[in-house]
Amino acid sequence: MRESPSPSHSLAPVPRDALLRRLQAVLPERCIISETESQRPFECDALTIYRELPLLVVLPENVEQVQQVLRICHELAVPVVARGAGTGLCAGSMPHPEGLLLGLSKLDKVIEIDPLARTARVQPGVSNLAISAAVAHHGLYYGPDPSSQIACSIGGNVAENSGGVHCLKYGLTVHNILALEVLTVAGERVTVGSTGLDTPGYDLLALMTGSEGLLGIVVEVTVRLLPSPEVAQVIMAGFPTVTAAGDAVGAVIAAGIIPAGLEMMDRLAIQAAEDFAHAGYPREAEALLLCEVDGTREEVASCSENVEALFREMGASSVVVSRDEAHRALLWKGRKSAFPAVGRLAPDYYCMDGTIPRSQVSRVLKEISTLSAQYGLAVANVFHAGDGNLHPLILFDASKPEEVRRAEQFGADILALSVQVGGCITGEHGVGLEKLRQMSHQFGPAELALLEDIKAAFDPGLNLNPGKGIPILKRCQEYRALPARHRHD
Amino acid sequence: MTDRSAEMATAISDAAARRQPLYISAGGSKRQLLGRACELPILDVCGHTGVTEYQPSELVLTARAGTPLAEIEAVLEKECQTLPFEPPLFGGRATLGGTVACNMSGPARPWAGSARDLVLGIKLIDGRGQLLNFGGRVMKNVAGYDVSRLQAGAQGTLGVISEISLKVMPQAEHSLTLVYEMNAVDAIDSMNRRAGQASPLTAACWLDGRLLLRLSGAAAAVEHTATAWGGEKLADGADFWRDLREMRLPVFAGPEPLWRLSMKSTARVVDNACPALIDWCGAQRWLRGNFQLQTLQQTAAAAGGNASLFSGGDRKAEVRPTPDTVSVRLQQRLKQAFDPLGILNPGRLYGWL
């Protein structure tokens, strides 16, 4: 998060002009951004406290161009950082100061839809929501729904193994894709996965998904599509304590109900969301649950009745069931705008992404509250309660360096706590540059060494998104060659 | 309930020191299935058993790799939960480790996911004898590469699985089976059309001129869809799906080679490769007979899929198609990363791996 005074430390940086000349030979002028001011929009992802300018930005328009760019960078040993829509939250697509930023946003075509087989082939720059929009008239949709779905690209979703609010029932990106067309670091094209439900040999599809642009460049994705549910209903309940809400979540699962979505918000988040969205959230509640059930009319009627009864039994102080689609959308609006709503309470917020066992939620929220007092920074908590993914939003002022450091340390403590209670440092946002230091909380040296060997199996020269995702071991020459801010010591 | 992981790790590091390749075995239920013949000294992980953690409200179960699936199912049954991917128990011999290593999944697979899909975390002993820990016991975890799911289908060639955490699910409240007289072509079309509608469909197969559909979920929803879809209700539906899951239907019996085609669910049936059984809503097709791998692979590849020799036939030859050269290189390098001396199940997956 700290500004590094001089980010250039590479042993033998490639002259920018030489690279530019080579790229100009294979790309139209409109695909190359070389002016500093024009590069500014690419200097960070949605975690804006980490910024860097690349040597050059390229925005190729077809797969062949991507392939040629990769071949050139491979030959010149230039680092390549892939970028989709730039909505990531871990500085995963922050540029490398001596590298090329490879923007894939112009590869934005839906290539083929097969409604009967319920699959679609799309280019990586297609937005998550655009896939569902393109297949809606067939009564189908694409399952994973990260909150940035209006903007985030499917290529980025694959890179991060994105989730969303419907993961517990419908799974993550890895469960909803069938095949990838991938370019290796040397620009070779390879198909990973197949149109079948499994493929002989090692599951490279699982390995590529969530690999944060470190193993290859995804240039096409075959996604699985789901039938749109006949109906969906939201049951909203306020609870007098976080513990009671946590117990109610356990009770729903224990009753054999798998909700399509199950979200929890704490008091500060409830109030911020209500002020913003006027959705009728119970301002006096300490915790709020939003439970969505979907499927056929009969399935939804049965589950909805059960959930409502369970919430009352578990001590809900208020229960509201969505009356119609408009009301359901309104109830979700508060949750979906929770981040910007909380964002109005302070100049900046820092969103954490640990995952914890569901049963630990009240303990973890209590400790976060203690830490909040210690650090003197307010925090609002939004929780994908169904799958244990906790998003504490730490409020701070980025113009005060000392406050930035406190926010950073507070965040690190929350991630350490998540690991301590049996969880992990990132549920869906990825490691990127942001959580490199926390990787050693999650993994021991032997595991980290193996992760690095996997990286080297795909990218021996460590030129794809170097210094992100997986800590490069400090004994390596490649580590010493990293720009200062990519180092994690 | 015994933890033999330290002993297993020592056995592997000793074998590595002697460069002695090993064949990893637990229940032995799949020795003649899926892989190539592997005549090597056995590393027996059979006694490494026990459910080490299970919290029904977390929907997560952790067990040692040698634990029989039957034991796990019994533990889940008490809490009205289940292994949603319906792996075969093979008469109680199938273990959790072998099931994940072979990525064995039953009829529910297109809807409930595969063994691979349900894996959350893994403890693994690599080819150096190091006990490593990847993934965890939570539903979402994107820290590091997905080494856990990579083990599914790797058939032990990347490491000896020591412990697995899995997502489990509640049992369905109610199930029933609908039957329709139909040829294979119409059945493929019909099952895929049904799968495109919101419904409690949880299995779809075609066998002996009949399309069979299973509906599971809330009783009212299942009955409502059954009425809407018509067809005849199968009295012993649960038994049929259990027999399909356990691969003990007559179609699986006999000495002739059994081939498996994993392909696009809507792939058309071609005359020289008519399946005897179509499962997974069209995505998994079974054939019996003396085919050539290459011939069947051409058929499967035309529909973007793959053929493999599941059981019988020549198991010293390749039993699955060799991919393109880039994929071969990547897989060999991965093997090298996990098992640099090549002592874990060499040749089991491919002759070149």
Side-chain angles (χ1 to χ4, degrees):
Chain A
M1 227 181 266
R2 286 168 282 277
E3 286 297 324
S4 55
S6 61
S8 180
H9 287 280
S10 180
L11 298 180
V14 170
R16 180 177 171 282
D17 293 346
L19 179 64
L20 182 58
R21 276 196 301 278
R22 292 290 303 274
L23 292 170
Q24 280 167 336
V26 299
L27 292 176
E29 204 56 46
R30 62 177 180 273
C31 295
I32 304 175
I33 301 175
S34 53
E35 299 301 321
T36 302
E37 279 321 299
S38 313
Q39 288 181 356
R40 287 277 172 217
F42 300 90
E43 68 182 351
C44 62
D45 63 13
L47 182 58
T48 56
I49 45 183
Y50 295 84
R51 290 169 195 267
E52 193 77 77
L53 285 169
L55 283 185
L56 293 167
V57 176
V58 293
L59 301 169
E61 291 167 344
N62 57 53
V63 175
E64 292 66 35
Q65 289 176 354
V66 180
Q67 212 160 7
Q68 283 174 313
V69 167
L70 285 170
R71 284 185 192 134
I72 292 170
C73 289
H74 183 59
E75 190 189 318
L76 301 176
V78 172
V80 175
V81 178
R83 177 186 169 103
T87 57
L89 288 164
C90 63
S93 62
M94 188 193 82
H96 189 290
E98 282 136 28
L100 184 83
L101 186 83
L102 174 59
L104 295 158
S105 55
K106 288 186 180 174
L107 298 182
D108 63 351
K109 288 171 202 62
V110 174
I111 301 166
E112 186 191 14
I113 297 166
D114 186 336
L116 188 57
R118 304 167 314 283
T119 61
R121 279 169 59 211
V122 299
Q123 289 192 311
V126 175
S127 76
N128 173 294
L129 202 56
I131 299 175
S132 290
V135 300
H137 63 289
H138 296 297
L140 300 170
Y141 75 108
Y142 175 65
D145 59 342
S147 57
S148 55
Q149 69 178 148
I150 190 164
C152 64
S153 68
I154 188 69
N157 288 181
V158 171
E160 305 297 341
N161 193 13
S162 303
V165 299
H166 290 102
C167 300
L168 181 66
K169 187 169 178 184
Y170 297 111
L172 308 162
T173 303
V174 71
H175 303 110
N176 287 279
I177 59 175
L178 287 171
L180 300 172
E181 288 294 307
V182 174
L183 299 180
T184 67
V185 65
E188 304 150 303
R189 187 169 176 150
V190 60
T191 303
V192 164
S194 68
T195 61
L197 293 175
D198 49 31
T199 305
Y202 295 145
D203 194 340
L204 302 183
L205 187 64
L207 199 56
M208 285 297 305
T209 310
S211 64
E212 303 192 12
L214 270 80
L215 302 183
I217 304 295
V218 173
V219 291
E220 189 184 306
V221 186
T222 303
V223 299
R224 295 181 70 185
L225 303 169
L226 300 169
S228 306
E230 249 173 39
V231 62
Q233 196 159 37
V234 169
I235 304 99
M236 175 179 80
F239 287 85
T241 64
V242 167
T243 309
D247 291 346
V249 169
V252 169
I253 305 290
I257 299 165
I258 300 297
L262 186 52
E263 297 289 305
M264 187 193 286
M265 293 161 74
D266 73 357
R267 190 185 179 89
L268 188 54
I270 296 167
Q271 293 180 346
E274 180 57 17
D275 288 344
F276 187 88
H278 309 294
Y281 285 8
R283 300 176 136 278
E284 74 294 345
E286 282 299 319
L288 176 97
L289 289 181
L290 283 173
C291 178
E292 177 158 292
V293 291
D294 71 3
T296 62
R297 283 178 205 291
E298 297 72 26
E299 191 94 43
V300 168
S302 162
C303 290
S304 172
E305 202 176 296
N306 289 343
V307 170
E308 189 185 349
L310 270 172
F311 282 171
R312 292 195 192 281
E313 203 177 300
M314 298 306 289
S317 45
S318 62
V319 181
V320 172
V321 182
S322 64
R323 294 180 299 271
D324 50 34
E325 269 306 286
H327 189 213
R328 183 177 79 91
L330 181 64
L331 292 179
W332 271 118
K333 188 182 170 196
R335 165 62 187 88
K336 291 195 170 172
S337 54
F339 286 22
V342 168
R344 299 199 307 178
L345 304 179
D348 299 277
Y349 69 87
Y350 185 31
C351 176
M352 308 312 296
D353 177 45
T355 301
I356 56 172
R358 272 184 289 266
S359 59
Q360 299 292 319
V361 66
S362 59
R363 171 184 164 190
V364 169
L365 290 186
K366 261 181 218 135
E367 292 200 30
I368 288 178
S369 159
T370 308
L371 288 167
S372 166
Q374 271 171 25
Y375 282 104
L377 296 173
V379 62
N381 290 286
V382 176
F383 183 47
H384 299 305
D387 47 39
N389 194 191
L390 182 63
H391 294 313
L393 306 170
I394 301 169
L395 305 181
F396 73 107
D397 182 348
S399 70
K400 299 176 182 159
E402 184 274 334
E403 209 161 286
V404 173
R405 273 193 293 279
R406 264 192 287 149
E408 207 180 14
Q409 190 53 48
F410 185 4
D413 285 358
I414 292 174
L415 297 186
L417 175 63
S418 303
V419 174
Q420 196 193 325
V421 300
C424 72
I425 59 172
T426 173
E428 57 185 359
H429 294 171
V431 174
L433 185 63
E434 181 205 14
K435 301 180 199 77
L436 270 184
R437 284 183 187 83
Q438 278 79 39
M439 284 292 277
S440 56
H441 293 310
Q442 188 86 60
F443 298 105
E447 283 86 0
L448 290 175
L450 182 59
L451 292 174
E452 201 176 323
D453 288 345
I454 293 172
K455 163 73 170 162
F458 283 77
D459 174 21
L462 310 190
N463 279 327
L464 290 175
N465 215 3
K468 312 263 186 68
I470 307 296
I472 296 176
L473 298 188
K474 291 174 190 168
R475 58 177 156 77
C476 295
Q477 183 190 337
E478 285 82 3
Y479 180 78
R480 294 195 292 275
L482 283 177
R485 68 182 326 169
H486 285 68
R487 299 187 188 187
H488 40 84
D489 45 12
Chain B
M1 176 108 179
T2 316
D3 182 1
R4 287 186 53 208
S5 57
E7 187 190 325
M8 285 149 52
T10 306
I12 293 169
S13 53
D14 287 354
R18 290 180 285 118
R19 309 205 173 223
Q20 171 60 60
L22 298 171
Y23 177 74
I24 307 152
S25 177
S29 62
K30 294 178 275 294
R31 176 138 203 191
Q32 311 301 330
L33 312 178
L34 290 116
R36 297 172 72 249
C38 227
E39 301 303 328
L40 293 166
I42 286 177
L43 174 73
D44 188 357
V45 300
C46 226
H48 183 56
T49 58
V51 173
T52 55
E53 193 169 325
Y54 172 43
Q55 290 180 7
S57 69
E58 298 288 340
L59 298 175
V60 177
L61 177 139
T62 304
R64 297 197 182 100
T67 314
L69 285 186
E71 190 182 320
I72 293 173
E73 284 243 309
V75 169
L76 291 170
E77 174 78 40
K78 284 186 200 145
E79 302 292 338
C80 298
Q81 293 187 344
T82 184
L83 295 171
F85 58 105
E86 300 187 327
L89 309 185
F90 286 142
R93 287 185 303 142
T95 60
L96 179 60
T99 299
V100 168
C102 295
N103 195 20
M104 292 294 284
S105 311
R109 193 264 170 261
W111 293 272
S114 59
R116 169 260 208 192
D117 288 336
L118 280 306
V119 167
L120 299 173
I122 219 151
K123 282 186 186 163
L124 182 79
I125 306 168
D126 73 1
R128 306 163 183 89
Q130 303 185 101
L131 182 61
L132 306 169
N133 198 348
F134 289 98
R137 292 187 177 126
V138 287
M139 299 289 160
K140 288 160 91 176
N141 184 349
V142 293
Y145 306 120
D146 198 342
V147 174
S148 308
R149 289 195 180 94
L150 180 63
Q151 304 311 315
Q155 294 193 244
T157 57
L158 296 177
V160 178
I161 301 171
S162 169
E163 192 177 274
I164 298 167
S165 292
L166 281 177
K167 180 177 174 182
V168 299
M169 292 292 259
Q171 287 174 357
E173 179 188 315
H174 183 60
S175 285
L176 62 79
T177 301
L178 300 173
V179 191
Y180 308 80
E181 298 289 328
M182 211 175 276
N183 65 36
V185 173
D186 291 344
I188 289 168
D189 185 70
S190 180
M191 57 178 74
N192 277 286
R193 282 184 197 288
R194 303 288 195 206
Q197 305 168 18
S199 78
L201 184 64
T202 60
C205 84
W206 175 86
L207 177 68
D208 298 333
R210 299 195 304 172
L211 166 69
L212 295 105
L213 304 176
R214 182 180 64 189
L215 305 173
S216 321
V222 168
E223 292 297 341
H224 182 267
T225 302
T227 307
W229 285 5
E232 187 193 329
K233 283 185 193 170
L234 190 68
D236 50 357
D239 293 343
F240 171 79
W241 297 108
R242 177 54 84 167
D243 287 344
L244 174 58
R245 167 179 178 175
E246 294 296 340
M247 306 186 72
R248 60 187 177 210
L249 293 166
V251 64
F252 292 110
E256 281 195 305
L258 179 64
W259 301 84
R260 176 176 179 268
L261 267 56
S262 172
M263 60 212 295
K264 192 169 198 170
S265 62
T266 53
R268 69 189 182 89
V269 173
V270 295
D271 287 341
N272 63 348
C274 281
L277 166 67
I278 300 171
D279 194 7
W280 290 7
C281 199
Q284 177 173 254
R285 305 181 187 189
W286 298 92
L287 283 83
R288 298 210 70 111
N290 291 302
F291 296 95
Q292 293 294 318
L293 176 60
Q294 226 173 351
T295 318
L296 284 184
Q297 176 56 21
Q298 274 166 11
T299 302
N306 288 279
S308 61
L309 177 57
F310 186 83
S311 68
D314 179 4
R315 307 206 74 81
K316 291 201 167 85
E318 296 295 352
V319 298
R320 40 175 72 83
T322 289
D324 60 273
T325 52
V326 179
S327 298
V328 167
R329 190 185 71 221
L330 292 176
Q331 295 192 56
Q332 284 174 329
R333 286 190 184 164
L334 272 177
K335 169 78 172 165
Q336 178 78 20
F338 281 84
D339 177 22
L341 300 169
I343 60 160
L344 302 174
N345 281 1
R348 176 73 174 155
L349 211 45
Y350 293 102
W352 43 267
L353 201 66

